Amino acid sequence: RVGAAYGFSEYEMYLNGGAAGGGARRLCDVGLRKATNEDGREVARQDAMYWGHDPQETDEGIPLPEDEEKRGMTIYLAQVDSRIVGKVNLQLVNGLGGIYGLGVLPEHRGKGLGRAILVEAIEKLQAAGAARIMLQVEAGNATALNLYTSCGFRATSVMDYWAVE
């Protein structure tokens, strides 16, 4: 009645049990390095690539990872042999760990890196004291849904997003 148009849906998923499956650490050696403000342009570039946003051209629009961390969201760059291959954002609030913005650069996809980043993220959150771990994923992203489900995540709810025109 208000003229809203359906945009997309996201699943909220929770990790069942303690550890993610898949043995990703044995498939490839991915390290997560905490992003600094000097990495802001790389973070913005990857966000634009993964979610179709326009990359910010001015320094004022660049996310500053150190400022994000002060607000509770820690941004990590995923690396293999000191080459950046992706990113992930982690949050821990009252024992609930959140995984957001996980992405693998296109030229590195299909090598098990998404699984390795996910497992590393889960391990970091558990080491920091997360009793439960959740993430959100676009319902139409079959590749990500398959990965998360294969690692022990289960959808618990769906959120529909609408835009008022």
Side-chain angles (χ1 to χ4, degrees):
R1 292 183 352 190
V2 298
Y6 172 77
F8 64 97
S9 296
E10 273 186 333
Y11 291 119
E12 186 167 274
M13 303 180 82
Y14 280 81
L15 180 62
N16 287 336
R25 298 295 300 237
R26 284 177 237 112
L27 295 175
C28 50
D29 189 21
V30 170
L32 296 184
R33 174 179 65 80
K34 192 183 296 189
T36 66
N37 286 349
E38 292 177 3
D39 298 310
R41 285 198 183 280
E42 177 62 19
V43 170
R45 182 182 81 86
Q46 287 193 42
D47 284 345
M49 187 180 307
Y50 303 145
W51 293 280
H53 303 221
D54 288 329
Q56 301 296 328
E57 297 298 326
T58 64
D59 286 340
E60 294 82 36
I62 301 282
L64 296 175
E66 294 168 38
D67 289 345
E68 291 297 314
E69 187 170 11
K70 290 175 188 171
R71 290 189 282 273
M73 183 71 69
T74 305
I75 302 170
Y76 290 91
L77 293 175
Q79 295 183 187
V80 173
D81 298 326
S82 74
R83 287 176 317 177
I84 295 173
V85 298
K87 67 175 274 298
V88 65
N89 305 340
L90 303 180
Q91 185 176 50
L92 181 61
V93 177
N94 298 324
L96 177 61
I99 299 173
Y100 305 98
L102 191 156
V104 176
L105 292 170
E107 63 270 24
H108 297 289
R109 292 179 183 161
K111 302 174 186 174
L113 296 172
R115 181 177 304 275
I117 294 168
L118 180 61
V119 169
E120 186 74 21
I122 290 166
E123 290 174 359
K124 276 197 176 301
L125 287 169
Q126 289 173 333
R132 297 179 67 205
I133 298 176
M134 60 83 62
L135 55 79
Q136 295 171 341
V137 59
E138 187 173 344
N141 189 341
T143 302
L145 282 169
N146 288 336
L147 169 64
Y148 299 147
T149 301
S150 74
C151 286
F153 283 87
R154 298 292 174 257
T156 58
S157 63
V158 63
M159 298 163 284
D160 296 324
Y161 292 91
W162 299 77
V164 177
E165 297 176 354

